Structure formats: structure tokens, C-alpha cells
Amino acid sequence: MRAESSAIREAARRIAPLWPLRHFVAVNPFLGFADRPFHATAALLRRVARVDMLMPRAFYRRAVDDGTIAPSDLADALALAVSRHWNVPAEVPSFIAALAADRPWAEQPFARVPTVGDVLDSLAAGDRIRSGTAFMIDEISTFLAAYFDEGQSAWRLPWRELRPYAAWREAIRFDRNPEVYGIENFRAIVAALPADPYDAIAEIARLQGVPDRALVDYLHQALASIGGWAAYARYLQWSAELRGEDDEAIVDVLAIRLSFGYALYAQHRGDAFAEAWSRAMQHAAVEPRDERMTFDPELALDIVAHDAYERAFQRRFVAALRAAPLASPEAPEVQAIFCIDVRSEIFRRALEAVAPQIRTLGFAGFFGFPIEYVRIGQHHGGAQCPALIAPACVVHETVAGASEEENERVLSLRRLRRRAAKAWKAFRSAAVSSFVFVETAGLLSGFKLASDSLALTRPVHDPSSDGLGRSERERLGPDVEPAHFVDFAEAALRGMSLVDGFARTVLFVGHGSSSVNNPYASGLDCGACGGFTGEANARVAARVLNDPGVRADLRARGIAIPDETRFMAALHDTTTDEVRVFDLPASDPRFDPLRAALLEAGTHARLERARRLGVTREWQIFQRARDWAQVRPEWGLAGNAAFVVGRRARTRGIDLGGRAFLHDYDWTSDPDGSVLASILAAPLVVGSWINLQYFGSTANNRAFGSGNKVLHNVVGAVGVLEGNGGDLRVGLPMQSVHDGTSFVHEPIRLNAFIEAPRDMIERAIAATPSARELIENQWVHLFALESEGRVHRYCGSNAWAEIERGPRNVAEAS
């Protein structure tokens, strides 16, 4: 492989994938930097692209001033920095004095490894319209929106059968926009470049004199300048790799971006630009020392302050865990298995409070069944499993107990409704009919418009029930062959440490969210189910585990499920805190206490969420779910900060404020540590993706978030633009992390607390490379929960430090 090809692939790996809106899932925006330490990544991004990944310094000063950060937290963080030989004040008073000054930017007017656009922007005093970079991004974004369109546009790009770079070169032959804008000979410049994207990238780097040492950084910076579309192309590559294939769309996107930039480069060969470009390349050739923090000592101050901020949370959380009563009900009447999602913690706590005879457990919301679920009337389904893995099988939806003729009728109804909806949409948006649509249909739509505006009705139908009557909707379910799922069933039960002590009723409680007019709706559904609700997975799990043949096979493998145990599926709406149990016998009084407990727990959970949302009435929670003007139907996973792996007894009765992922695990039933290793490899990694997406969207929404939700326009059914142009936006909108007055999410790296012996945790870390990178490079903080309230912090390389008990901790926790 040529050096240029290696650099291209390395730069592409630094870009985190962006899932499309139809199954939007949380992604770690720093995914491509997991192999380097947190602090070194902060230094690299600031050096290469002048991008901050921490909060402004004033944020940490306020935390010191109001006592959130205690002197002991600063002392511990400083001790670590001094051990790394960072140039920061070693004493707490001196450090606080240094933190009082605002952080100055470095003297150079552009990034250390700039693109042509960065240099032109600096020469234009930041005026991106005058420099031409805004025009370049708009033109590239317009083309890529047409190329990657997933059905939103009525007009399709003619060259979609070609790779993106080849299609762009074909489109440019007819596009005079750049030349009208003032880029002379644009088409001729592009035509003279190599037709192969790899060759074009290498040739442009050579013509511009990019130093070999800086090539990866330079290509990364170019991709970052169109980071949204690069992220979507990276998603295509990620998805292809899960299928054992390859997709190089991101290489084409890079070639398009560099080719356009080279055309601007060819236009600006005057003395001012030549001198600025030469100086930029000299800066780029300097060997960095990111891990030693020598490039930006001011950044070291902020990283120490951030570390102290996180230690303050850890101190309070550990104190709360130590104060928990270790108790759980003997022989529970009902076991309810919820997703580990932080929103489940609120409902689980409420349910256990109103019904002590119910024991709740936590497990990833796909419940160990990685399926592709094809809804009735559709030809293709979605991957209802974590983004880290590919579906293992395809499950089709059907009407339970229906004849072939009845299923065909349901299919016909679904398809008829979809055709009618498509025809109606085409009529409203057609060139001629759109002008008379309002006049002819406006009055007829008045009542519906009023009821939708008052949030009395939904502006759109629930897609899962289109064309079906209520009785048919109730009977929808998976068409599965249980015997094919025995291995998954065993792995799931062992993964949640549920191998004995089964209750008479066991609920698999998936979760989804209710909102309308919300491009990010799938992002509020279950991330473990690929951005879909967990209903299908819960139904499959219950169907499989109720099968006598499966139970017989499990009994032979050491898991004996009593004959009287019945598994049922349920769906928790995290917006309204309603729980719908499927196939629940309406006339059986044995289930009346369960129904009552779920209803009462829902009321308690809604009241708690109402306080966070700033509303005073329970009914307003339901209204928000139907309000098409609501930018905050719920808070999603905002506030997430901890991941607890252990028995529910360690956390039961503690108010964790909806901030903790809770995964059940009993190390005594995992002698070889394989279950713990699987938890680290998937749930913990996915939890870190969620955590770091919220981290990035809070700390620097401009770079890692999607801006103002009110200004979003959906493009290509792929993602959103903020306004009517620019790059595709990534991450979460500001409204997902900010209430209009202050942030509701704290940018804290995930803190994993594992109830297991330290040597066992070490073996599990060694067995899971993906988790090991996150832990060793401080993207995730790790703690061991041991007996008698002992807690140890992982310090890297199998070293641990015990967290001492202290009166101050208990007092502050209370």
C-alpha cells in the first residue's frame, strides 16, 4: 500500500460515523481517537483544527467558586498532572489563581495544520463568504445531498450508479456555478486532476507541498471541514464492514473536498496567500508532542480542572453507593427486565417503591436477540441490535393466529395506505397543484390543523399501525422458529445473571419514545435496538423462552425454567412513562396487582420527569408527546454519567436521578469471567458512545452537535442542515442538552462501577480490546466495587488505588 493510501485510511478512521435519521443512534464523536489518551486527543484537535472539546474555563471557575469542585478534588487531579510532568502549578491555591485568567488562543491566525479554506478565511478576517469557503461547502453539500438521497427528493441525480467522485466530476462538466461565482477555469482545473480518487488526493497534496509528517492531519482537517457528509460516508463504510464488505465513499468525499479546495488554491497565487500558505506548511511540519501537552500549556490547566470536576461527581456517587442498604426481595412475584438505559432507572425505582414484591433487572434493550425485523407490508427491515454487531437472523412481523388470507388482507391495507400517502404527498408538492392546494383543501383541513396544534391529536399516524384495525394491531407479533434461538436465549439469561430463582411472571420491558415532527425521534428510541423501539426484541425473547422445546434445551444446559413461569413482553414509553404489556390476559385477576403497580409507578415517574422538564402538571407530559412544536418532548439520556455492573441490591433504594446505566451481573455465577467480558465488549462500549456524544454536544455543540433544532431542515432523509445550506450536522441539537437557560447535561466521561474482584476485572479488560482502549486511555473511568463498601479506582496498566472513606464524602452526599 502506498504511503498516501495509508494516510487516507488513517484520516478516514478519525471520522466517527453518522447514522441516518430513520435509525439515528448515539455515536462517540471521538471514536477515531480511542487509541490515544483523552488529553492527547484534546491537544491534537486544538492543534490541528482549533477545535475545543472541553467547556469554557469560566465553567470550571464557577464549579470551584460554588463548591462543586472541592480542594481535595483539585489536589487529586493536580497530583496526576504532576506525575505526568505537565507544566501546571503544583499547589491548589496557585492553580486556582492561574485558572482565574481566561484561556488565550495561540498566536497563529489559523489551525496548525490548515486547509486552503482555513488560510483563505484567515486572510479574509473570518469572512467565509468573501473567502469562498462557504460557497465551496454549500456546493459540495448540495451535490452530496442529491447523491446520497434516500427518497426525499422527487428528482434523482443521473450519475448515482457511479462512485461519488466520478459522479461529481460528471456533474461538474455541466455546472457553471463555480465559474459564475468567480473561480476561473474551475471545470478545466478539476478535469486535469486524476480520475482515481486516491491518485487525485496524492497529486493535490504534492502540488500544495503538504509535508509528509502532516499528511494525515491535513487530510483529517479536510474531512472535518465537511464533517457531516464525511461522517455519513463513514457510516456507509462501517455498515459495509459489518457485512464483510467494503465501501470507500469517504475516500471519494475527501477527493471532492480537496479538488474543490485545489481549485481555490489555483486562484490565489498572490504574495499574501503564498506567504500565508508557506508559513502554514512550516507550522504543519513541526513534530507535535500532544501527549506531553507541550504545544498548549494553557490547555493543560483546563484538563486538570475538568479532571477535578469529574472527581467531584465520582466522590458523591461513591458515597451514595456506600450508603445503600444491601437488600432485595426474597422470591419476587414478578421480575421485570428493563433496558440499561438511564431513563429506565427512574421507572425501575418508582416500580420497586410502589411494589416491593417486584424485582427489576437491567440488560441491554435488544435482550440478546440481534435481529433484523421486517414489519408487515415491507420488504426490508432494520437491524434491531447494537451498532457494533450485525443482525444474526431476519424476523418477519405477522398477525398472530391469522389465516394466510387474513395476513394478505393486512398486507394489502398497509400497502394501500402507503400508496395513498405517497400520492397525496406528490399532489401537494407537484409544480402545479401546490399553488391551489391550500385554497382547495385548506378549509377541509381546518379541524385537523386545530386539533394537531392543540396537541389533541397526532399530525401523523403511528407508522407501526398504518392501515390496521385495533384488534389487528394488538395481534401483531414476530413470526419466529424458537428452536433457532436457543443459543441466544442461553447467552441472554446468563448475561443478566438470571439462571435460577425465576418468578412466576417475567417481563421483558423494551422501550421507545413518543414525539411528532421530530427528525431525531429514532434517537429517543432504544440505541441497543439500532434506533428502533425494543418491542420486537421483547416479543421475540418472550416467544422463545415460553417455548417448551427451548426450555428443554436450556434445562440440558443447566438453566431450569419452572413450568409455571411465563415470559411476557412489554413496551415502556420513556416520554409518557406508560408501560403496555402485550398478551396480558384481561380477565385474569392474578395480574391486577401488576397492572396497578405499573400505573402507579408511571404516575411517580411522570412527576419526577415533569420537574426536570419544568412543567407542573402530569397531563402536560402527554401533551408534549403530541405537540408538533415541542423541541423537548423528553430529555432522552441527558445527565448520563455512570454505568453500574452488579447486583441490583447494590443500587436498589438509591435515587440515582436518571443518571446511571444499570446492568445486572453476579460475578459469583461467572467463574470464567466470560459474561463480564461480554458486558465490557458491548454494553459498556455502547454506553460510552452515548456518554461521549452527549459530552461532545454539550462541550462544543458547534463542532460535535447539530445546533439549533428550530432551524433544522431535513435533507435527503439522511440528516439535517442548520438553515438552508452548509454541511450536514452531526450529534445532538442544543435543545437536547440545554433548557434555554442552562445546560441539563454535565460533560462527564462515563464512570463504570463493576461489582467483582479486581483480578477478574483485569482479565475481562485484557480479553476485550475495544473496552481496554477506552479504559486505558481515560475515555471511561473504571472502579471496582468490593465487599464492605471498599471501592478501588483503576489507574491503568492493572494498577488500582483505593478510594478512602471520609466524613466529608458522607456529609456532601447527604
Side-chain angles (χ1 to χ4, degrees):
M1 180 183 293
R2 296 181 307 178
E4 295 87 351
S5 298
S6 178
I8 291 168
R9 292 183 180 277
E10 174 62 26
R13 278 195 294 268
R14 290 185 180 181
I15 303 297
L18 172 66
W19 265 250
L21 292 174
R22 59 188 166 84
H23 57 128
F24 183 85
V25 297
V27 178
N28 170 13
F30 315 109
L31 181 63
F33 302 97
D35 61 344
R36 65 182 68 212
F38 174 86
H39 67 271
T41 301
L44 181 146
L45 290 176
R46 187 168 161 81
R47 171 179 59 81
V48 172
R50 289 175 66 80
V51 168
D52 275 325
M53 55 181 278
L54 299 177
M55 295 294 281
R57 184 170 290 180
F59 173 85
Y60 302 109
R61 284 201 298 264
R62 286 194 297 271
V64 172
D65 293 341
D66 65 20
T68 299
I69 298 177
S72 59
D73 302 319
L74 282 173
D76 292 342
L78 279 172
L80 177 61
V82 170
S83 71
R84 292 172 171 170
H85 306 291
W86 291 2
N87 185 20
V88 294
E91 302 297 328
V92 170
S94 302
F95 181 86
I96 293 176
L99 202 65
D102 288 329
R103 182 198 326 170
W105 277 100
E107 293 183 0
Q108 70 270 19
F110 40 73
R112 194 81 172 189
V113 186
T115 63
V116 172
D118 296 324
V119 175
L120 290 174
D121 284 345
S122 70
L123 294 176
D127 187 341
R128 302 180 75 244
I129 295 177
R130 183 158 62 93
S131 69
T133 56
F135 172 79
M136 172 179 64
I137 299 302
D138 282 347
E139 287 290 291
I140 295 175
S141 185
T142 299
F143 169 78
L144 293 177
Y147 183 87
F148 289 123
D149 179 81
E150 293 191 353
Q152 180 178 354
S153 175
W155 176 85
R156 293 178 67 81
L157 189 74
W159 305 284
R160 282 175 58 123
E161 75 280 2
L162 301 175
R163 286 180 51 171
Y165 179 62
W168 179 72
R169 285 169 61 88
E170 287 296 318
I172 283 299
R173 292 171 53 205
F174 306 97
D175 187 358
R176 288 175 168 76
N177 272 1
E179 288 161 353
V180 171
Y181 185 81
I183 306 176
E184 297 178 3
N185 301 317
F186 180 83
R187 289 176 295 163
I189 293 171
V190 171
L193 292 171
D196 179 81
Y198 282 98
D199 291 341
I201 293 168
E203 178 68 5
I204 291 168
R206 183 188 66 80
L207 291 172
Q208 293 179 344
V210 178
D212 290 341
R213 191 222 60 77
L215 185 57
V216 173
D217 288 345
Y218 176 74
L219 298 179
H220 166 224
Q221 173 68 335
L223 284 171
S225 67
I226 48 168
W229 288 111
Y232 180 70
R234 180 73 177 92
Y235 154 77
L236 297 176
Q237 184 182 51
W238 181 282
S239 300
E241 289 172 350
L242 283 179
R243 301 190 301 268
E245 302 169 2
D246 195 15
D247 185 293
E248 294 192 318
I250 192 168
V251 179
D252 292 73
V253 169
L254 177 58
I256 293 170
R257 168 62 183 83
L258 289 181
S259 297
F260 212 121
Y262 178 71
L264 290 175
Y265 174 87
Q267 303 299 306
H268 299 83
R269 304 305 295 269
D271 292 342
F273 176 81
E275 181 181 350
W277 184 253
S278 175
R279 187 168 66 252
M281 292 302 98
Q282 291 173 9
H283 281 303
V286 175
E287 186 71 22
R289 290 289 186 271
D290 294 332
E291 294 196 18
R292 299 182 183 180
M293 303 298 292
T294 55
F295 171 71
D296 191 351
E298 287 290 330
L299 179 60
L301 286 174
D302 292 337
I303 290 179
V304 172
H306 183 82
D307 187 21
Y309 184 77
E310 292 180 330
R311 288 172 184 269
F313 169 80
Q314 294 159 4
R315 171 170 46 82
R316 295 189 297 270
F317 196 84
V318 167
L321 290 178
R322 282 172 166 163
L326 292 178
S328 79
E330 301 290 337
E333 297 177 13
V334 176
Q335 290 161 327
I337 305 163
F338 286 80
C339 181
I340 61 175
D341 189 294
V342 298
R343 291 167 291 181
S344 299
E345 187 272 332
I346 295 174
F347 193 92
R348 290 176 63 180
R349 177 163 32 89
L351 182 60
E352 291 168 339
V354 301
Q357 73 278 13
I358 295 178
R359 177 193 169 197
T360 70
L361 298 91
F363 190 72
F366 76 117
F367 301 118
F369 290 84
I371 61 174
E372 177 184 338
Y373 195 67
V374 182
R375 297 193 178 277
I376 194 166
Q378 295 182 345
H379 300 291
H380 302 285
Q384 301 219 174
C385 54
L388 298 171
I389 60 178
C393 56
V394 178
V395 174
H396 293 267
E397 185 179 56
T398 187
V399 179
S403 64
E404 185 176 339
E405 292 76 12
E406 187 176 359
N407 267 301
E408 185 58 37
R409 184 177 64 81
V410 171
L411 280 169
S412 300
L413 284 171
R414 276 279 178 95
R415 290 167 180 162
L416 179 62
R417 182 178 183 86
R418 288 172 184 149
R419 290 193 194 102
K422 186 176 181 179
W424 181 244
K425 180 179 178 181
F427 167 73
R428 289 188 301 172
S429 58
V432 176
S433 58
S434 61
F435 289 101
V436 297
F437 172 76
V438 174
E439 286 79 1
T440 57
L443 291 177
L444 297 177
S445 302
F447 178 78
K448 184 69 164 64
L449 181 66
S451 63
D452 287 346
S453 300
L454 294 172
L456 300 175
T457 55
R458 288 175 57 96
V460 293
H461 291 279
D462 184 340
S464 67
S465 61
D466 282 354
L468 303 182
R470 180 172 180 177
S471 63
E472 291 160 336
R473 291 199 301 270
E474 293 292 332
R475 292 164 60 194
L476 283 177
D479 182 14
V480 300
E481 181 59 48
H484 294 165
F485 291 90
V486 175
D487 291 339
F488 294 123
E490 180 189 9
L493 292 175
R494 293 194 186 281
M496 63 186 74
S497 297
L498 183 60
V499 294
D500 54 23
F502 292 91
R504 290 178 60 88
T505 301
V506 182
L507 288 182
F508 285 105
V509 189
H511 68 92
S513 176
S514 294
S515 61
V516 292
N517 191 30
N518 181 12
Y520 289 89
S522 62
L524 296 177
D525 286 334
C526 183
C529 299
F532 298 94
T533 74
E535 175 184 342
N537 300 77
R539 284 176 175 263
V540 169
R543 172 81 179 275
V544 169
L545 286 166
N546 281 329
D547 184 77
V550 171
R551 292 192 179 191
D553 287 339
L554 289 175
R555 190 174 296 110
R557 301 182 186 193
I559 302 177
I561 301 174
D563 292 340
E564 63 272 16
T565 294
R566 178 176 179 179
F567 292 86
M568 291 190 289
L571 185 67
H572 171 210
D573 188 322
T574 54
T575 305
T576 63
D577 278 308
E578 297 172 292
V579 174
R580 177 187 174 197
V581 182
F582 303 103
D583 305 319
L584 185 65
S587 59
D588 193 334
R590 290 181 304 167
F591 295 101
D592 289 345
L594 175 60
R595 292 190 187 91
L598 292 172
L599 288 172
E600 187 177 357
T603 297
H604 285 277
R606 281 190 293 275
L607 292 174
E608 180 171 336
R609 294 192 205 275
R611 291 193 295 271
R612 294 185 66 197
L613 289 165
V615 299
T616 57
R617 298 288 186 271
E618 188 179 351
W619 61 266
Q620 292 175 294
I621 297 291
F622 296 96
Q623 184 187 47
R624 296 171 78 91
R626 299 189 298 267
D627 186 353
W628 61 1
Q630 182 54 251
V631 294
R632 301 180 183 91
E634 60 159 280
W635 279 123
L637 292 96
N640 73 85
F643 191 108
V644 182
V645 180
R647 296 167 299 157
R648 176 57 171 159
R650 294 300 298 250
T651 55
R652 184 170 175 132
I654 309 175
D655 182 353
L656 298 178
R659 304 193 65 183
F661 300 92
L662 299 177
H663 197 300
D664 266 70
Y665 172 70
D666 185 350
W667 69 270
T668 62
S669 62
D670 181 30
D672 63 355
S674 59
V675 171
L676 180 57
S678 68
I679 293 173
L680 296 186
L684 178 66
V685 172
V686 172
S688 76
W689 279 26
I690 294 168
N691 169 266
L692 290 168
Q693 183 183 68
Y694 274 87
F695 183 109
S697 297
T698 301
N700 190 341
N701 196 270
R702 180 186 63 80
F704 306 115
S706 59
N708 188 347
K709 199 174 188 180
V710 177
L711 303 179
H712 284 175
N713 285 304
V714 176
V715 56
V718 170
V720 298
L721 302 180
E722 188 179 15
N724 63 352
D727 187 23
L728 197 70
R729 297 305 303 264
V730 300
L732 300 169
M734 181 62 79
Q735 285 86 349
S736 293
V737 296
H738 198 280
D739 66 5
T741 302
S742 59
F743 285 103
V744 296
H745 180 77
E746 293 183 277
I748 293 174
R749 285 169 283 178
L750 192 63
N751 298 275
F753 294 85
I754 300 177
E755 184 186 22
R758 280 169 284 157
D759 59 343
M760 189 175 186
I761 297 174
E762 291 169 8
R763 291 194 300 272
I765 293 172
T768 53
S770 57
R772 184 170 66 247
E773 277 190 340
L774 293 171
I775 294 168
E776 294 288 352
N777 291 318
Q778 303 95 46
W779 295 100
V780 171
H781 299 297
L782 179 64
F783 300 83
L785 300 178
E786 298 182 288
S787 60
E788 300 177 354
R790 298 180 64 193
V791 181
H792 284 80
R793 176 196 298 274
Y794 185 73
C795 303
S797 301
N798 291 342
W800 299 82
E802 184 169 6
I803 297 179
E804 297 180 3
R805 297 173 183 268
R808 58 180 174 84
N809 290 0
V810 176
E812 288 167 0
S814 63

